[in-house]
Every structure is written in C-alpha cells, then in structure tokens.
Amino acid sequence: MVDVAFTALYPWSLPPDKPRTDRAAARSERDLYAAHFRHARIARLPADCPPWALGQDLGWVVRSPVTATLTPLSDTDVAVPEDEDVRAVSRRAGGGQMWRRGPDWIAVPDQGGSWLRRYDFRNSSGQWEAMFLPNGQGTVEWHLGVAVRLPQPYFLMVLPLDPPLPGLHVPVGIIGAKTVNTMTDISIAIHPTHPVAVRREQPVARLVLLHPDTLRATSTTTPLTAAPPAPASSPPDPAGPAAPVAAPNTTILDAS
C-alpha cells in the first residue's frame, strides 16, 4: 500500500484529510422514513451506489487554514529594466504591489489585492512569508503550510471540489514526486472569479494520487466499418402501438 505523508509545519496548518462516506447515517435516515412515514421515502440512496461512494472517498480534502475573503485580481505582468526603479514602474503600471516572479514582475493594484498580504506568516527561519502569491492572469499560489512526502514514481493531482466552491476556480494541476518532495510546503493554484468568503477548515480543493501509467495510458479506437442493416419494416398493428416495456425492477403506471 502506498503511504503519502502530510506534515503540519505551523500551528495554523491543516494537513489534508481522507474523506469518508457515512453510509450508516444515510441508511439510518432511509430506514427511519420507511418505518415511520406514510409517503416520505429515500428511494435511491447515493451511499449505496459504489461509483458515487468511491468518488466521494477519493484522495484527500484540502481545507482552508484561514478565514478570508478572496477577491478577483486585476494583475499586470511587467518588466523592470536594471536602470529603472521598481516603484516608478509600479506607478506606471497603475500603482499598488509589485511581486517578483522569476525574471519579471507582477503588478497588483491595492484595490482588490490587499488580502494578499493580510496573511503573511512567520516561517521556520523567523522571516515573514506570504501565504498568497500572485501567479499571473488572476491566479494565486496558495501556500498551505504543509509538507508532503510522496513516494516515487507517483504524482499528486490537484482537483476542484465537486461541486466547485462558487467564486473560486481551482485549476487542475499535476505535480511529480520529485517536485513535491523538494517543496518546503505544498501550494495549490486558485483563481477567484468574484468575492468569495472561506472559513478556516472549509474544504477548498482535493488531492488525488496518480500512478505514472495514468499519464502514459493510450487508447485504441475501432471505428464502425459498415453500417448495420436497417430493420425490416412491418405493417402497422391494427391493435395500436405496443405498450412500453419496463426495465428490470421498474413499474410503469399509466395514470391517464
């Protein structure tokens, strides 16, 4: 069995947790209705559907470590030549924050982007570090304060919730074990599309373990070589159309 290790790095960190479908509670409610109510029923219990239950229990749930209101960013990618002042370029870009990402910079207006610096935290070296970093095109890198140890040769996939959190788009991303194991703490990409309030411990995304074969898998498609023969036509039945045939375990009631 593969073991993925999550380690909280700070007192505020919330390591991802394994979801579990409470089948007993769901069945208890179904049985309660059947025993005590005349008409109320739960005819189809999702917890008794293996595909649904397996999907709900897949991977790990990522929870927000803070209570925050995330708003869309109107950021701009800019270059700062060596002979120019960063603050001067910031003013030309509309003012606000300047974040260095690689060789270039991302300018973020203070209006709408002030929440980025509100959750700076003291890291293990005693320095202030940003939890949220603009990543360009309205996206943000969200550091979770959790170290992950992933065995080779697996991958970790970041998925949005199902259903997704309204106003918070989580782009799908896949990270290899080599990269995951060298990261100080894991981060996910988010893209606020309109103001969204999240609470501490609220689910925001999901992590799923991937085997390399998932990425290398190919498919074979066999086209239909010849059209099937058309069914022979038959004269109309003087008794009228045939009654519909019910699927197994299904009753069709004509209330006309």
Side-chain angles (χ1 to χ4, degrees):
M1 179 182 295
V2 178
D3 182 71
V4 179
F6 297 105
T7 303
L9 300 177
Y10 307 102
W12 49 264
S13 305
L14 294 176
D17 57 271
K18 190 74 175 170
R20 297 293 183 190
T21 300
D22 193 344
R23 294 172 175 82
R27 291 167 182 164
S28 175
E29 182 183 7
R30 176 198 60 192
D31 297 343
L32 193 70
Y33 288 3
H36 299 283
F37 293 90
R38 183 178 183 181
H39 298 299
R41 293 292 185 274
I42 300 178
R44 299 279 293 172
L45 194 64
D48 281 338
C49 176
W52 182 89
L54 287 172
Q56 297 302 304
D57 295 348
L58 180 68
W60 299 267
V61 174
V62 177
R63 300 180 184 275
S64 173
V66 294
T67 296
T69 298
L70 316 178
T71 58
L73 296 184
S74 179
D75 53 34
T76 305
D77 297 344
V78 296
V80 180
E82 292 184 2
D83 58 344
E84 293 194 30
D85 181 65
V86 173
R87 288 170 294 183
V89 175
S90 172
R91 288 192 295 271
R92 295 193 198 106
Q97 308 168 30
M98 290 286 285
W99 297 75
R100 184 156 199 166
R101 304 306 308 266
D104 294 316
W105 298 72
I106 297 177
V108 180
D110 286 329
Q111 184 175 3
S114 60
W115 59 273
L116 290 173
R117 301 311 303 260
R118 193 172 301 149
Y119 299 92
D120 289 5
F121 60 92
R122 194 180 297 278
N123 61 24
S124 57
S125 300
Q127 304 296 317
W128 292 112
E129 185 174 331
M131 175 180 289
F132 298 102
L133 291 87
N135 216 25
Q137 301 181 20
T139 65
V140 175
E141 184 179 342
W142 188 352
H143 285 263
L144 302 172
V146 175
V148 181
R149 189 69 184 175
L150 187 65
Q152 294 280 7
Y154 291 92
F155 293 81
L156 206 56
M157 179 166 64
V158 181
L159 290 173
L161 297 177
D162 180 23
L165 194 63
L168 187 66
H169 172 59
V170 177
V172 176
I174 299 176
I175 317 171
K178 183 177 180 180
T179 301
V180 170
N181 295 338
T182 57
M183 297 170 69
T184 303
D185 72 329
I186 195 169
S187 61
I188 64 172
I190 60 172
H191 184 189
T193 55
H194 61 73
V196 54
V198 295
R199 305 180 311 277
R200 175 173 164 83
E201 299 187 359
Q202 180 177 352
V204 293
R206 179 172 291 195
L207 299 178
V208 174
L209 186 70
L210 291 183
H211 190 276
D213 285 349
T214 306
L215 304 178
R216 293 195 294 257
T218 61
S219 62
T220 301
T221 302
T222 304
L224 184 65
T225 55
S233 59
S234 57
D237 189 343
V245 178
N249 301 320
T250 303
T251 300
I252 297 178
L253 179 63
D254 187 355
S256 59

